[in-house]
């Protein structure tokens, strides 16, 4: 499996993580221990150890920052903690999503008993109606959305889109099974449609402003073509 390198300097490696790849094998991911993690793929590719600066779900594709030395991690993590890094995600969701919406709804953290504040700014970019029935309707509607999370809770975007009744296509936990099956049966697209597309920040060491983008996976580009949608990362 190939890993696309987006940016590299003495401090960080920025790569595009493929769908269904864990960043590293933690205790809770023992069931996929026989599959290579992102860190293992990078070590095989580059011959170096790297250290994750932030999280990305196994089923989410896209941009992730990795530090080349452990001592660099905290400086970059401060950008996330202090909201000094802008994260842009893209999702393909069921239904016609709101043109613009601020979703301010608490999300359960890793400790499932504790809810934490979570904020997502959502904007709808494209819409399509398909003459393909999905129970209980004779046709089906979908939207391409852009999301800018202002907090970094576990499964935040997956939970927030579900909260406004526009769940992500291909999401096995928070999604709509009937629509997921329709996408797989009609188009052969079975991966989750959530992509970390862009990171923008001032490098804490070089002080250079970086605008880094991760190209969409194959299922996404097929969807753009099929639905005649513009690729938001090429604008």
């Amino acid at each position: 499996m190939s890993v696309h390198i987006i940016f590299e300097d003495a401090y960080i490696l920025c790569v595009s993580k493929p769908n269904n790849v864990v960043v590293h094998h933690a205790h809770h991911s023992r069931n996929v221990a026989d599959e290579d993690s992102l860190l293992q793929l990078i070590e095989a590719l580059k011959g170096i150890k790297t250290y994750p600066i932030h999280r990305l779900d196994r089923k989410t594709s896209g941009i992730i920052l990795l530090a080349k030395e452990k001592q660099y991690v905290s400086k970059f993590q401060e950008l996330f903690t202090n909201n000094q890094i802008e994260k842009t995600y893209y999702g393909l969701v069921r239904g016609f999503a709101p043109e613009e919406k601020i979703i301010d709804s608490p999300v359960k953290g890793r400790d499932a008993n504790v809810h934490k504040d979570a904020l997502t700014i959502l904007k709808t970019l494209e819409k399509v109606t398909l003459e393909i029935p999905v129970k209980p309707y004779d046709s089906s509607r979908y939207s391409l959305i852009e999301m800018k999370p202002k907090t970094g809770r576990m499964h935040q975007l997956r939970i927030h889109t579900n909260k406004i009744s526009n769940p992500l296509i291909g999401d096995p936990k928070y999604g709509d099974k009937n629509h997921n099956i329709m996408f797989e049966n009609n188009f052969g697209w079975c991966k989750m449609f959530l992509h970390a597309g862009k990171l923008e920040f001032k490098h804490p060491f070089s002080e250079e402003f970086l605008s880094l983008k991760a190209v969409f996976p194959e299922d996404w580009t097929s969807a753009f073509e099929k639905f005649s949608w513009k690729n938001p990362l090429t604008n």
Side-chain angles (χ1 to χ4, degrees), residues 55-217:
R55 294 193 301 268
L56 211 54
D57 283 352
R58 181 191 175 194
K59 292 187 177 295
T60 304
S61 60
I63 198 164
I64 187 164
L65 292 180
L66 308 160
K68 287 188 169 182
E69 300 286 348
K70 239 180 192 172
Q71 65 262 32
Y72 301 148
V73 172
S74 60
K75 270 286 190 189
F76 286 94
Q77 282 182 339
E78 283 175 16
L79 299 175
F80 290 90
T81 305
N82 300 330
N83 209 19
Q84 293 175 315
I85 187 162
E86 184 164 79
K87 301 166 283 181
T88 305
Y89 286 74
Y90 298 94
L92 199 166
V93 299
R94 180 195 74 186
F96 283 175
E99 293 301 321
E100 292 185 348
K101 189 171 182 67
I102 295 172
I103 309 169
D104 186 2
S105 178
V107 167
K108 284 183 181 179
R110 291 183 177 274
D111 176 352
N113 297 316
V114 179
H115 281 77
K116 295 186 176 181
D117 289 341
L119 180 67
T120 303
I121 297 171
L122 179 148
K123 180 180 173 185
T124 295
L125 305 178
E126 303 272 9
K127 296 177 181 178
V128 69
T129 300
L130 304 179
E131 297 307 318
I132 300 174
V134 180
K135 289 181 181 180
Y137 302 107
D138 293 333
S139 60
S140 41
R141 296 173 164 185
Y142 303 97
S143 303
L144 170 66
I145 60 171
E146 176 190 273
M147 293 174 286
K148 294 183 185 289
K150 298 303 177 183
T151 49
R153 308 303 179 202
M154 187 177 181
H155 293 178
Q156 176 175 322
L157 301 180
R158 298 168 66 179
I159 293 168
H160 274 178
T161 50
N162 175 273
K163 186 86 176 175
I164 62 168
S165 299
N166 298 115
L168 290 158
I169 298 300
D171 189 333
K173 185 170 184 179
Y174 306 100
D176 183 315
K177 184 181 176 183
N178 292 329
H179 288 265
N180 294 350
I181 290 170
M182 188 284 277
F183 262 62
E184 189 168 351
N185 289 346
N186 285 271
F187 307 115
W189 306 332
C190 52
K191 295 188 171 79
M192 187 171 75
F193 277 90
L194 179 61
H195 182 68
K198 200 187 317 183
L199 288 176
E200 293 184 306
F201 59 98
K202 185 179 175 184
H203 195 299
F205 292 97
S206 71
E207 299 195 341
E208 178 188 4
F209 178 77
L210 297 174
S211 180
L212 307 175
K213 298 178 183 179
V215 297
F216 286 98

